[in-house]
Amino acid sequence: MRYYKSNAVYEAINTQKQQFARLKFVVGDAWQLVYGDNNCIPLVLVYASGVQENILNEPLTSEEKEGFSLLNILGSRANLPVLFVRFNATASAIEEVKFSDASFNFRTVTMSELSQIFQGFGLPVSNTKTAKYLNDATSSAYHNWQRGSLGQALTVSDIDLWKVDSEGNPLKFYELKRSFIALDRWAPYVDDYRNFKLLHAVAVRAKMEFKILYNLRTKNPWHDDATRLSVFSVNFALAPPITFLGIVPFNEIVNL
């Protein structure tokens, strides 16, 4: 899973917030996660939020409430449990987290206890004895726990971007991809199909649309270019399951 705090799509939305008010996302140390089994069947949704130590036990922020609300509506529509995990993102290592279901009755659980909670929802759990998980340059301690404690058969993906209606209810969601390959030549990698299949399964259960948006990012010189996007529809009931729909200017993102 990627571990970046922003990208050109998010930055473009933020610079024109009024125009793109119906596009929502979480960024930084927050993720809206979908967990599934080896067959890409979704089993549980998790809002994972890394915060400063001094607010770990404080009420949820407005950003956390909005991000969790979108995930909770998705869970209700898809008939999936929704959990909230809050952890200290500034610590060099974590041994416990704050955990709650949609009731917001938070309690402190150890990483071992968190593994057992996930196992209770049918997710595979490894027999790891590690009690402390470290932050590093490329990942958070929570994601290191995820890799170390949940089994290899696990399928997991995060939701990158939402489109909501005038009342803030989610209509569809998108996977964001970026690479150095030209817009008219890039295609979703087969290695990512399991994640796409998982997200599509959630979308079908929730009666929502799921699409992939791709933008060009070059290294020499460095440039993350979201002025134009390649758009792909996803439907694993068809063959092929992913269809290229065309290239659109960024401003058209609200109509996708």
Side-chain angles (χ1 to χ4, degrees):
M1 180 175 296
R2 297 146 302 165
Y3 186 70
Y4 53 73
K5 294 184 180 295
S6 189
N7 59 42
V9 172
Y10 294 157
E11 290 167 4
I13 292 170
N14 278 333
T15 59
Q16 304 174 71
K17 288 185 177 180
Q18 185 173 359
Q19 181 178 353
F20 299 118
R22 292 176 63 182
L23 298 176
K24 304 292 183 180
F25 58 88
V26 300
V27 74
D29 292 312
W31 301 267
Q32 295 158 316
L33 300 166
V34 181
Y35 289 93
D37 64 13
N38 193 40
N39 295 314
C40 304
I41 297 173
L43 296 174
V44 63
L45 308 179
V46 176
Y47 189 94
S49 178
V51 299
Q52 300 284 325
E53 183 177 12
N54 64 319
I55 69 166
L56 188 60
N57 296 305
E58 295 297 314
L60 299 183
T61 65
S62 58
E63 291 81 7
E64 286 176 316
K65 290 178 180 177
E66 181 180 56
F68 185 82
S69 176
L70 286 171
L71 202 62
N72 198 37
I73 294 171
L74 178 64
S76 296
R77 293 180 183 173
N79 194 28
L80 290 169
V82 186
L83 310 177
F84 200 120
V85 175
R86 201 186 208 196
F87 62 95
N88 182 358
T90 57
S92 59
I94 58 172
E95 300 177 60
E96 59 186 27
V97 299
K98 300 296 180 180
F99 168 83
S100 175
D101 56 19
S103 68
F104 293 145
N105 293 319
F106 282 90
R107 68 181 191 273
T108 301
V109 300
T110 66
M111 305 313 291
S112 176
E113 289 171 332
L114 186 61
S115 295
Q116 295 306 306
I117 290 170
F118 275 56
Q119 186 177 40
F121 289 102
L123 294 172
V125 173
S126 302
N127 293 320
T128 176
K129 296 183 179 180
T130 304
K132 182 182 293 186
Y133 292 84
L134 306 176
N135 283 315
D136 58 46
T138 61
S139 190
S140 71
Y142 176 84
H143 288 85
N144 287 330
W145 164 82
Q146 176 180 283
R147 284 194 297 269
S149 295
L150 301 182
Q152 295 298 314
L154 175 78
T155 312
V156 60
S157 190
D158 59 337
I159 296 175
D160 291 331
L161 183 67
W162 305 76
K163 181 178 179 179
V164 302
D165 63 20
S166 59
E167 296 180 350
N169 296 308
L171 297 172
K172 57 186 72 176
F173 56 86
Y174 312 88
E175 172 82 358
L176 301 182
K177 291 293 184 182
R178 56 183 181 171
S179 182
F180 62 90
I181 301 171
L183 291 174
D184 59 351
R185 292 177 43 235
W186 184 87
Y189 298 117
V190 174
D191 286 350
D192 288 332
Y193 271 36
R194 285 177 54 80
N195 288 348
F196 300 150
K197 187 175 182 180
L198 176 70
L199 291 173
H200 176 251
V202 174
V204 168
R205 291 177 61 156
K207 295 180 172 58
M208 295 172 62
E209 281 189 78
F210 166 54
K211 292 180 179 177
I212 299 169
L213 306 179
Y214 169 79
N215 76 280
L216 184 66
R217 184 188 66 180
T218 56
K219 292 183 179 180
N220 292 306
W222 174 268
H223 183 45
D224 195 5
D225 183 6
T227 56
R228 297 193 304 154
L229 302 168
S230 294
V231 186
F232 300 81
S233 64
V234 182
N235 187 343
F236 277 84
L238 303 176
I242 299 178
T243 303
F244 176 60
L245 299 179
I247 299 172
V248 302
F250 183 81
N251 285 351
E252 288 296 312
I253 192 173
V254 293
N255 299 320
L256 298 177

